[in-house]
């Protein structure tokens, strides 16, 4: 059980529930119902996301030994070589699944995988880090559109909104381990309010999901702004990650994909349940 828990921590199991909504929102954006290729895109997204989680800890193992010694690699519960092997295998599986979904999907999955590896191996320590992470989320949504319908242009606005949210969360996460500036959570709070207003709300469901998205992060971002300590910043980051789900659902709902929106929104309960046992950040 300790071994399984270590891998669940390494792969950020609760955060996994924020991934399927990317491809589903992409499919909704091109106004095509989910099909077999959409399922393949979801599988590809899950693999590439988890590859990024394993690679992240492998790349940060020396830093984590000082700042997060309880993490699976510095604590010795997972070997570095095993984490790197998992990242390689999951990347290969993600690209293979995208290939099965068709050439348009593979054409998006390749730069997505490249962005994930580039971020983990170097970009995250540069000013370009949050932009790279935002690009990865946006590409993940486009992967769902490309796989489902073979085109991505109608999904670009949705990808932009999701990427902007990810940019804000990633900017806040850069000060998780030390006392930081209130500017990042304040900017994230303002950005969330702006994104909620930018979401067209043609139906009550879309309005409700947009409100849920905004309220999920409002208090944690405000607390981190007033006191940007590591503990409150980590709570703000966790809230930002969880807020991805209602945002994805709102993006689907605004296109009239009610079933997709409700199915995506239901993943939030699973994310909360697993987050009680394993840290989402």
């Amino acid at each position: 059980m300790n071994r399984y828990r270590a891998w669940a921590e390494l792969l950020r199991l609760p955060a996994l529930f924020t991934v399927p909504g990317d491809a589903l929102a992409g499919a909704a954006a091109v106004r095509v119902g989910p099909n077999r290729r959409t399922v393949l895109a979801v599988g590809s997204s899950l693999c590439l996301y988890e590859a990024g989680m394993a690679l992240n800890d492998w790349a940060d193992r020396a830093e984590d030994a000082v700042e997060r010694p309880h993490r699976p690699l510095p604590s010795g519960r997972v070997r570095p070589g095993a984490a790197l092997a998992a990242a390689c295998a999951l990347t290969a599986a993600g690209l293979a699944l995208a290939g099965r979904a068709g050439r348009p999907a593979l054409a998006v999955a390749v730069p997505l995988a490249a962005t994930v590896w580039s971020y983990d191996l170097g970009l995250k320590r540069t000013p370009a880090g949050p932009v790279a992470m935002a690009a990865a989320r946006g590409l993940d949504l486009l992967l769902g559109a490309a796989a489902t319908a073979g085109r991505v242009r109608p999904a670009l606005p949705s990808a932009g909104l999701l990427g902007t949210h990810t940019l804000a969360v990633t900017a806040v996460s850069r000060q998780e381990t030390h006392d930081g500036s209130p500017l990042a959570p304040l900017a994230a709070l303002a950005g969330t309010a702006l994104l909620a207003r930018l979401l067209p709300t043609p139906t009550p469901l879309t309005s409700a999901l947009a409100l849920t998205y905004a309220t999920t992060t409002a208090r944690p971002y405000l607390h981190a702004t007033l006191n940007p300590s590591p503990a409150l910043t980590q709570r703000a980051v966790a809230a930002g990650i969880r807020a991805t789900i209602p945002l994805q659902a709102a993006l689907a709902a605004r296109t009239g994909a009610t079933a997709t929106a409700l199915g995506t929104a239901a993943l939030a309960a699973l994310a909360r349940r697993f987050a009680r046992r394993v840290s989402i950040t």
Side-chain angles (χ1 to χ4, degrees):
M1 291 301 296
N2 289 335
R3 181 183 180 185
Y4 293 141
R5 181 177 179 83
W7 278 95
E9 291 178 17
L10 178 74
L11 299 176
R12 316 294 200 280
L13 184 60
L16 194 63
F17 296 101
T18 71
V19 178
D22 289 349
L24 294 173
V30 292
R31 299 183 183 275
V32 176
N35 52 37
R36 183 186 67 85
R37 293 187 299 276
T38 311
V39 175
L40 289 170
V42 170
S44 176
S45 297
L46 291 170
C47 288
L48 294 176
Y49 187 88
E50 292 293 45
M53 294 296 101
L55 185 64
N56 177 78
D57 278 25
W58 180 84
D60 285 355
R61 61 194 186 280
E63 178 183 327
D64 285 348
V66 177
E67 297 183 348
R68 307 178 186 89
H70 62 282
R71 294 293 302 149
L73 267 64
S75 67
R77 289 177 293 149
V78 175
R79 292 182 295 106
L84 181 58
C88 294
L90 286 165
T91 300
L95 293 175
L97 288 169
R100 291 288 302 275
R103 290 183 179 179
L106 184 61
V108 176
V110 169
L112 171 56
T115 302
V116 169
W117 279 72
S118 297
Y119 174 83
D120 283 335
L121 296 182
L123 288 179
K124 66 182 170 185
R125 294 181 176 84
T126 73
V131 176
M133 183 63 79
R137 269 292 185 180
L139 285 168
D140 203 34
L141 186 146
L142 295 180
L143 175 59
T148 302
R151 61 184 188 275
V152 300
R153 186 181 295 275
L156 290 174
S158 293
L161 292 173
L162 182 60
T164 301
H165 167 73
T166 306
L167 177 69
V169 177
T170 307
V172 176
S173 74
R174 291 164 73 90
Q175 53 188 47
E176 278 186 294
T177 59
H178 58 274
D179 289 333
S181 166
L183 294 180
L186 179 61
L189 180 62
T192 299
L194 178 60
L195 287 176
R197 288 185 62 85
L198 288 176
L199 282 169
T201 54
T203 66
L205 176 60
T206 310
S207 300
L209 290 169
L211 180 61
T212 301
Y213 163 65
T215 56
T216 298
T217 58
R219 181 176 294 180
Y221 280 164
L222 179 59
H223 288 172
T225 299
L226 297 174
N227 178 14
S229 64
L232 292 181
T233 298
Q234 289 167 16
R235 291 181 187 176
V237 173
I241 294 172
R242 291 195 305 271
T244 303
I245 296 177
L247 175 57
Q248 295 161 336
L251 292 173
R254 69 175 185 164
T255 68
T258 302
T260 297
L262 292 174
T264 300
L267 295 173
L270 294 173
R272 284 195 301 271
R273 178 180 178 183
F274 280 90
R276 298 190 186 102
R277 301 182 179 183
V278 178
S279 175
I280 199 170
T281 67

